């Protein structure tokens, strides 16, 4: 029973990782850029929510409405004024620039808010749970996070496959040169991808803050989990990213069940095993996904 | 140009310049002076020099992998920490710490081979995060070894009964020797055919195939060498701190430091890491009191340099590779036959 | 008013000068064929017009606007569309999505999905397939269709016949003639000289980045073309331009 429980809790946790991962994957697909500050930007969103609640009060749930659009705007500007330049500077430059950004964000947060753990208190929702079997309880918030994660992935997939803007993203991911020659504005498309990525990672950041605690350096851990989810699932495939998130979540909770200190390590080892034995990821890339 | 593809062409390579011979002389003089530095400098200055040299060794190692190999690793702290712990472990098993250092370096190089099998499946930014994950695995695994002190770490007791000043001096000479060795290895590698091909491929002067060198194997060699060099820095850290603790031994900050030094000094140049390490060391000493701000400044510098001074300070001093202290940049003259 | 005007444009790749002071005018409704051997600079000329490459000197005017500094997608919005050499379809997207991407510039005109399917009926049957699985001829038709979806007033085509069977080439050229009938001006780059000169009403021959011959196809003789195509020295030992198409780099 404890193992069933661990798997269920792991699946729920995996949803959160999938939220973190989908933006990373989207940006990589559209512009071959791996944003090493991805996790930190999510954590930045969580700190923004903390400030909002501090000054305006209320249940932190409302901050989604404020943080998501701000995050999207920040993503747009970030792409226009920083990442686009980095992309022009050769292969190494985006990696170095986003790593620099990560260091700046983490240490600014540390300087401003201190190194202590924080969390967003959403009241009863944080401890209420549903009983789904004799001794298995699932936290309501965790279920909500999982459902939102699936919704985010479905919405993103629909956006990509059904809308002209989504088509432009897929076209740019597929062949940058041909996209520009077809009249698709590459800068706008990249900025859109980053805006979406930051909006989704902000959702992840807020959920993380509500679910457990976070600190200025949490972004690095989130980046690593997001990356592991992407690679486990398989590059260029949103469903794969969801599966990757779930596998990672289950690996961590089952690992913690074996030895409480081993959760992350087991997750890492599953990732390394996938890298060693199935480098294309668990779900092979299909045509409709962002590559 | 077809002769380029077959490799059957007359190439004359100019390596030495008058300037470079002068520079070599100056370099030897500096090293000799540094050998005798502890006699005049006093203990705390010697310790500072040791710290500086350790940073320099890291920068040399990272420059090799990123600047010449084109692989941005943000997981080289794995090798730093691994070698620190190797020294600790060896000394626990009765190996005198001094002897443990070269052994740790070799071990760091060896462990980097399986690491490269995994990491080389990833490219670019994903390679960067992949190495980071691997470093995390190193840390998590080592933090569980209770004989190595677990998460709390352990002290290197081996050298406790030595006179501290002698101990610090020997550590310093180790650091100096390793610095010279790493610089020498870099120079030798780059002057070899393999290194020439690597630079050519990186600068996109030729396609990989045209150089007739197996690029993956070459990159792996560079990766292993850089791991060993960074391992050397780690082993020295263990000697100079006399304790090892997983969080700090495997800290991502080492990557930040190495990136900063190499970028600012000039990535992919022989002199870059030296200049970068000097600047970084001075900044570190003068900004240490500003706490996290100093890292913010570091990150900001990294971005600014990447975008606006991509070849760093050395690149600005010597844009055409004419003044290199060590003439690694081969000036290639092709006699175009046919 | 010339639809397109290049004034003294030069193009470089690093130190290599690919085009020397080129001046070209193209009137509305014309079909201009640019011919020349491998490496003559034909694709480079098209990149100057499509905006993928900026000239080092000189200017590019389109409908009397200076478009020298506009990016490719901005030029598509103004009505310049390129079918690139090697087609460059979005291989992971369906045929229909490929075509719809071409409409990103949102220009008004006669070309829409239905019109493309009417022009190339065989493409319609494949519309749900991924572009990667199409045959060469089908892919070329999709590439042309995608460019047409932007309703261009100037359509640039880079070696549309490359690697295709003669029957397929004829079909494509048939389609091109119908495109001009809708009012689109064509600039064809070809190594398949026979087909290009059959439909063109003006031709330019490039050699090492310079115009070495120009005129209405009917006014040029076979030997003039051969000579211009290969340059003077080599013209003696090369009997037919066709040989050049086989000697790809
Ligand atoms: N991206 C590039 N970088 C460097 N040189 C280039 C590049 N593209 C073309 N060139 C060079 O510029 C010259 C003109 O090339 P271009 O592609 O315009 O020729 P082309 O007439 O289209 O040839 P082909 O018939 O083979 O397509 C050639 O010498 C070519 O090698
Ligand atoms: Mg061409």
């Amino acid at each position: 029973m404890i193992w069933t429980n661990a798997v269920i809790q792991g699946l729920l946790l995996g949803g959160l990782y999938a939220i973190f991962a989908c933006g990373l994957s989207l940006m990589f697909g559209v512009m071959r850029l791996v944003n090493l500050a991805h996790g930190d930007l999510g954590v930045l969103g969580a700190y923004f929510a903390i400030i909002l609640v501090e000054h305006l009060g209320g249940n932190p749930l409302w901050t989604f409405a404020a943080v998501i659009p701000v995050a999207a705007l920040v993503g747009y500007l970030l792409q226009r004024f920083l990442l686009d330049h980095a992309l022009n500077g050769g292969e190494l430059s985006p990696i170095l620039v986003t790593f620099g950004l990560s260091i700046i964000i983490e240490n600014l947060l540390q300087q401003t808010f201190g190194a202590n753990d924080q969390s967003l208190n959403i009241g009863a929702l944080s401890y209420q749970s549903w009983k789904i079997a004799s001794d298995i309880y699932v936290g309501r918030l965790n279920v909500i996070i999982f459902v939102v994660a699936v919704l985010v992935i479905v919405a993103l997939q629909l956006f990509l496959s059904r809308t002209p803007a989504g088509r432009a993203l897929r076209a740019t991911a597929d062949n940058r040169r041909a996209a520009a020659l077809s009249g698709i504005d590459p800068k706008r498309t990249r900025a859109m991808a980053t805006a979406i990525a930051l909006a989704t990672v902000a959702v992840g950041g807020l959920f993380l803050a509500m679910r457990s605690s976070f600190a200025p350096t949490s972004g690095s851990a989130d980046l690593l989990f997001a990356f592991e989810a992407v690679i486990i699932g398989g590059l260029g495939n949103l469903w794969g990213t969801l599966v990757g998130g779930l596998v990672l979540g289950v690996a961590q909770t089952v690992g913690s069940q074996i030895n409480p200190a081993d959760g992350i390590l087991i997750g890492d080892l599953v990732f390394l095993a996938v890298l060693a034995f199935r480098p294309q990821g668990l779900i092979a890339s299909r045509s409709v996904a962002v590559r | 140009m077809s002769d380029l593809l077959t490799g059957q062409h007359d190439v004359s390579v100019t390596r030495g310049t008058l300037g470079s011979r002068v520079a070599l002389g100056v370099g030897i003089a500096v090293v000799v002076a540094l050998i005798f530095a502890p006699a005049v400098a006093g203990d705390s200055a010697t310790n500072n020099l040791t710290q500086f040299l350790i940073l320099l060794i890291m920068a040399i190692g990272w420059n090799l992998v990123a600047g010449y190999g084109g692989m941005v690793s943000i997981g080289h702290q794995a090798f730093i920490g691994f070698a620190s712990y190797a020294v600790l472990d060896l000394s626990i098993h009765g190996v005198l710490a001094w002897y443990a250092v070269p052994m740790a370096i070799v071990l760091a190089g060896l462990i980097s081979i399986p690491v490269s099998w995994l990491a080389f499946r990833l490219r670019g930014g994903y390679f960067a995060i992949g190495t980071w994950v691997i470093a995390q695995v190193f840390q998590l695994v080592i933090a569980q070894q209770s004989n190595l002190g677990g998460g709390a770490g352990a002290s290197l007791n081996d050298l406790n009964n030595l006179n501290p000043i002698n101990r610090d001096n020997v550590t310093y000479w180790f650091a100096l020797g390793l610095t010279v060795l790493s610089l020498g290895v870099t120079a030798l590698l780059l002057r070899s055919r393999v290194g020439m091909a690597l630079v050519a491929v990186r600068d996109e002067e030729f396609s990989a195939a045209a150089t007739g060198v197996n690029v993956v194997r070459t990159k792996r060699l560079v990766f292993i060498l850089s791991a060993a060099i960074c391992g050397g820095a780690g082993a020295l850290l263990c000697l100079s701190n006399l304790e090892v603790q997983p969080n700090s031994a495997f800290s991502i900050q080492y990557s930040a430091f190495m990136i900063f030094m190499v970028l600012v000094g000039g990535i992919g140049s022989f002199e870059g890491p030296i200049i970068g390490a000097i600047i970084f060391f001075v900044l570190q000493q003068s900004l240490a009191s500003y706490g996290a701000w100093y890292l913010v400044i570091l990150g900001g510098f990294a971005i600014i340099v990447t975008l606006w001074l991509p070849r760093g300070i050395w690149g600005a001093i010597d844009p055409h590779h004419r003044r290199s202290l060590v003439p690694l940049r081969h000036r290639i003259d092709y006699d175009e036959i046919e | 008013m010339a639809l397109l005007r290049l004034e003294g444009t030069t193009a470089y790749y690093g130190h290599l000068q690919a085009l020397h002071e080129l001046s070209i005018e193209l009137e509305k409704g014309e079909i201009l064929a640019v011919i020349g051997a491998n490496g003559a600079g034909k694709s480079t000329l098209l990149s100057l017009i499509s905006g993928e490459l900026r000239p080092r000197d000189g200017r590019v005017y389109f409908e009397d606007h200076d478009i020298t500094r506009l990016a490719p997608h901005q030029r598509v919005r103004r009505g310049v569309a390129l079918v690139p050499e090697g087609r460059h379809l979005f291989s992971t997207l369906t045929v229909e999505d490929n075509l719809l991407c071409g409409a990103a510039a949102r220009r008004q005109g006669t070309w829409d999905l239905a019109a493309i399917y009417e022009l190339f009926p065989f493409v319609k049957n494949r519309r749900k397939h991924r572009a990667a699985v199409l045959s060469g001829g089908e892919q070329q038709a999709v590439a042309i269709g995608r460019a047409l979806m932007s309703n261009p007033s100037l359509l640039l085509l880079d070696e549309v016949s490359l690697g295709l069977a003669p029957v397929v080439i004829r079909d494509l050229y048939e389609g091109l003639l119908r495109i001009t009938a809708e009012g689109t001006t064509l600039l064809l780059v070809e190594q398949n000289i026979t087909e290009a000169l059959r439909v063109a009403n003006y031709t330019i021959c490039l050699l090492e980045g310079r115009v070495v011959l120009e005129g209405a196809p009917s006014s040029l003789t076979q030997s003039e073309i051969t000579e211009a195509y290969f340059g003077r020295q080599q013209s003696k030992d090369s009997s037919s331009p066709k040989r050049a198409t086989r000697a790809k780099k």
Side-chain angles (χ1 to χ4, degrees):
Chain A
M1 210 49 153
I2 52 165
W3 299 109
T4 318
N5 184 46
V7 169
I8 290 172
Q9 305 301 338
L11 289 173
L12 296 179
L13 175 64
L16 184 61
Y17 293 158
I19 298 183
F20 271 106
C22 62
L24 191 71
S25 169
L26 180 72
M27 281 179 71
F28 179 76
V30 170
M31 57 193 112
R32 297 293 177 274
L33 180 145
V34 178
N35 179 9
L36 298 181
H38 186 72
D40 299 304
L41 288 160
V43 170
L44 194 63
Y47 276 101
F48 181 44
I50 290 223
I51 298 179
L52 287 177
V53 173
E54 222 166 69
H55 289 274
L56 302 171
N59 187 308
L61 285 173
W62 73 264
T63 57
F64 277 107
V67 174
I68 293 173
V70 171
L73 180 68
V74 169
Y76 191 91
L77 298 174
L78 184 69
Q79 184 65 43
R80 271 292 162 94
F81 293 105
L82 187 68
L83 301 183
D84 269 352
H85 294 287
L87 284 169
N88 286 333
E91 224 182 311
L92 306 189
S93 143
I95 310 174
L96 300 169
V97 165
T98 54
F99 188 62
L101 186 63
S102 158
I103 297 172
I104 294 178
I105 294 175
E106 287 192 8
N107 288 287
L108 272 182
L109 289 175
Q110 184 135 347
Q111 198 64 40
T112 318
F113 298 94
N116 293 341
D117 281 3
Q118 311 241 11
S119 68
L120 280 170
N121 181 3
I122 48 168
L125 191 57
S126 58
Y127 50 81
Q128 284 168 345
S129 61
W130 284 298
K131 181 174 178 176
I132 58 169
S134 62
D135 52 3
I136 297 181
Y137 294 84
V138 288
R140 289 193 185 188
L141 176 65
N142 291 349
V143 173
I144 292 173
I145 293 175
F146 182 82
V147 171
V148 170
V150 174
L151 288 179
V152 165
I153 302 266
V154 169
L156 203 50
Q157 188 70 54
L158 286 176
F159 168 76
L160 287 172
S161 55
R162 300 284 163 83
T163 66
R167 201 184 302 121
L169 283 172
R170 281 184 295 141
T172 309
D174 184 291
N175 187 327
R176 226 179 297 182
R177 176 174 173 222
L181 286 175
S182 305
I184 294 167
D185 181 346
K187 281 192 184 158
R188 200 173 145 258
T189 310
R190 288 196 296 263
M192 184 164 63
T194 308
I196 295 172
L198 285 218
T200 55
V201 82
V203 172
L206 290 195
F207 276 141
L208 177 79
M210 294 170 181
R211 186 184 196 280
S212 56
S213 62
F214 65 103
T217 51
S218 301
S220 299
D222 298 338
L223 172 73
L224 298 194
F225 297 154
F227 158 74
E228 291 179 329
V230 170
I231 301 292
I232 292 173
L235 279 179
N237 182 332
L238 280 175
W239 297 119
T241 300
L242 179 61
V243 170
L246 299 182
V247 169
L248 181 65
V250 170
Q252 291 187 351
T253 47
V254 170
S256 303
Q257 193 67 51
I258 299 168
N259 175 359
D262 270 351
I264 291 174
L265 179 60
I266 301 284
D268 287 347
L269 293 180
V270 167
F271 156 77
L272 291 179
V274 170
L275 198 56
F277 301 113
R278 202 178 154 80
Q280 74 275 34
L282 296 179
I283 310 282
S285 178
R286 293 250 201 76
S287 58
V288 283
V290 171
R291 285 165 54 97
Chain B
M1 290 288 273
S2 64
D3 51 339
L4 267 186
L5 298 172
T6 56
Q8 289 163 351
H9 50 269
D10 283 354
V11 183
S12 60
V13 177
T14 324
R15 279 175 185 161
T17 59
L18 180 66
S20 69
R21 270 170 225 134
V22 172
L24 188 62
V26 172
I28 290 172
V30 169
V31 170
V32 170
L34 283 173
I35 290 174
F36 296 103
V40 265
D43 194 38
S44 96
T46 304
N47 283 339
N48 274 341
L49 273 176
T50 306
Q51 294 304 317
F52 165 74
L53 291 174
I54 291 174
L55 286 169
L56 176 54
I57 294 168
M58 287 181 195
I60 294 167
W62 198 80
N63 184 43
L64 206 54
V65 73
Y68 293 106
M71 299 170 276
V72 175
S73 161
I74 44 182
H76 263 51
Q77 63 272 20
F79 308 119
I80 296 175
F82 177 82
S84 284
Y85 269 98
V87 170
L88 177 73
D89 193 37
L90 286 168
S91 91
I92 288 173
H93 287 90
V95 178
L96 188 64
W98 307 128
Y99 299 135
V101 171
M103 293 166 82
I105 292 173
V106 171
L107 288 172
L110 287 177
I111 196 82
S112 76
I113 297 171
V115 167
S116 78
W117 293 337
L118 290 168
F120 278 27
R121 298 192 162 208
L122 300 163
R123 298 255 162 279
Y126 282 149
F127 174 88
I129 314 188
T131 54
W132 193 350
V133 170
I134 292 170
Q136 178 176 289
V137 171
F138 272 63
Q139 176 182 347
L140 291 171
V141 169
I142 286 191
Q144 305 216 337
Q145 311 306 315
S146 48
N147 59 325
L148 297 174
S155 308
L156 183 72
N157 297 321
D158 190 9
L159 304 176
N160 272 356
N161 44 5
L162 290 182
N163 170 345
I165 292 185
N166 287 343
R167 187 180 62 208
D168 290 349
N169 287 352
V170 175
T171 306
Y172 166 79
W173 285 317
F174 258 102
L176 186 61
L178 260 178
T179 307
V180 173
L181 193 66
S182 334
L183 284 173
V185 165
T186 307
L188 277 180
L189 177 81
L190 294 173
R191 295 182 70 140
S192 71
R193 199 174 78 89
V194 165
M196 243 174 89
L198 207 60
V199 173
V201 169
R202 185 203 57 187
D203 295 347
E204 286 165 24
E205 284 164 9
F206 308 103
S207 76
T211 63
V213 165
N214 180 333
V215 176
V216 175
R217 200 183 303 155
T218 311
K219 286 193 162 192
R220 181 163 287 129
L221 174 68
V222 168
F223 189 80
I224 294 167
L225 279 176
S226 76
I229 293 175
C230 286
L236 291 169
L237 276 173
C238 181
L239 290 194
S240 81
N241 298 339
L242 296 173
E243 59 171 8
V244 200
Q245 199 258 327
N247 283 340
S248 55
F250 293 97
S251 170
I252 181 73
Q253 280 199 1
Y254 288 130
S255 274
F257 295 167
M258 291 187 278
I259 291 175
F260 177 87
M261 290 185 282
V262 172
L263 278 182
V264 169
I267 187 166
S269 69
F270 184 82
E271 297 78 3
I274 305 175
I275 298 175
I278 295 173
I279 292 175
F280 176 74
F281 188 68
V282 171
L283 274 182
Q284 200 184 34
Q285 301 293 310
S286 48
L287 295 179
S289 55
Y290 292 94
W293 281 120
Y294 131 78
L295 288 161
V296 174
I297 293 170
L298 231 59
F301 259 116
I303 293 179
I304 290 167
V305 170
T306 306
L307 293 181
W308 287 288
L309 198 64
R311 309 236 334 267
I313 291 177
W314 183 257
I317 296 174
D318 179 31
H320 304 294
H321 320 305
R322 297 233 170 84
R323 256 169 258 170
S324 184
L325 300 177
V326 177
L328 300 167
R329 299 285 194 148
H330 301 256
R331 308 215 324 264
I332 305 172
D333 304 313
Y334 286 93
D335 295 344
E336 280 195 62
I337 351 166
E338 285 187 322
Chain C
M1 172 187 110
L3 179 69
L4 174 78
R5 203 165 79 241
L6 271 70
E7 285 183 359
T9 50
T10 63
Y12 289 81
Y13 295 104
H15 292 297
L16 175 87
Q17 182 161 17
L19 292 178
H20 299 264
E21 298 248 348
L22 216 59
S23 295
I24 291 178
E25 280 200 13
L26 181 54
E27 298 294 334
K28 199 162 166 23
E30 260 189 331
I31 302 184
L32 171 65
V34 175
I35 59 174
N38 291 122
K42 307 180 297 295
S43 300
T44 306
L45 171 64
L46 291 189
S47 333
L48 287 187
I49 305 171
S50 72
E52 290 187 281
L53 189 69
R54 297 257 165 91
R56 187 171 292 180
D57 318 286
R59 313 226 65 96
V60 182
Y61 296 92
F62 183 70
E63 291 175 334
D64 272 351
H65 294 283
D66 186 344
I67 60 166
T68 316
R69 308 214 66 82
L70 293 189
H73 71 274
Q74 293 169 313
R75 300 192 191 197
V76 177
R77 284 188 205 147
R78 299 217 173 196
V80 183
L82 168 69
V83 179
E85 188 176 357
R87 308 188 263 270
H88 282 276
L89 291 185
F90 304 116
S91 56
T92 56
L93 271 61
T94 63
V95 166
E96 191 151 301
D97 274 342
N98 266 276
L99 293 174
L100 288 170
C101 282
R106 295 218 195 88
R107 283 171 57 89
Q108 299 300 316
T110 50
W111 294 108
D112 54 16
L113 277 182
I116 305 286
Y117 290 149
E118 204 199 310
L119 179 67
F120 297 123
F122 50 95
V123 166
K124 185 174 184 183
N125 307 326
R126 312 283 263 149
R127 67 184 188 279
K128 296 287 173 218
H129 288 86
R130 284 198 300 129
V133 304
L134 266 55
S135 74
E138 288 169 333
Q139 289 195 6
Q140 194 56 268
V142 174
I144 296 173
R146 183 178 64 187
L148 281 178
M149 288 290 282
S150 70
N151 283 297
S153 20
L154 171 62
L155 183 62
L156 313 167
L157 298 131
D158 200 346
E159 303 202 24
V160 278
S161 62
L162 193 69
L164 301 182
V167 203
V168 181
I169 297 177
R170 212 157 315 135
D171 280 355
L172 285 176
Y173 269 82
E174 211 46 54
L176 292 184
L177 286 176
R178 288 172 58 192
I179 294 166
T180 46
E182 298 286 335
T184 306
T185 307
L186 293 191
L187 196 167
L188 298 169
V189 158
E190 270 294 3
Q191 297 215 15
N192 184 336
I193 296 178
T194 326
E195 206 62 37
L197 296 193
R198 192 170 62 81
V199 299
N201 38 35
Y202 201 77
T203 185
I204 287 178
C205 184
L206 287 182
L207 178 71
E208 291 171 0
R210 292 188 173 85
V211 177
V212 285
L213 183 72
E214 60 181 309
S218 52
S219 70
L220 306 174
T221 69
Q222 180 72 37
S223 66
E224 266 183 317
I225 293 173
T226 308
E227 193 163 296
Y229 201 99
F230 293 108
R232 282 180 199 287
Q233 303 91 329
Q234 285 145 324
S235 63
K236 285 169 231 126
D237 48 71
S238 307
S239 51
S240 147
K242 285 248 170 67
R243 281 188 48 183
T245 48
R246 266 180 261 137
K248 283 298 278 184
K249 41 187 168 179

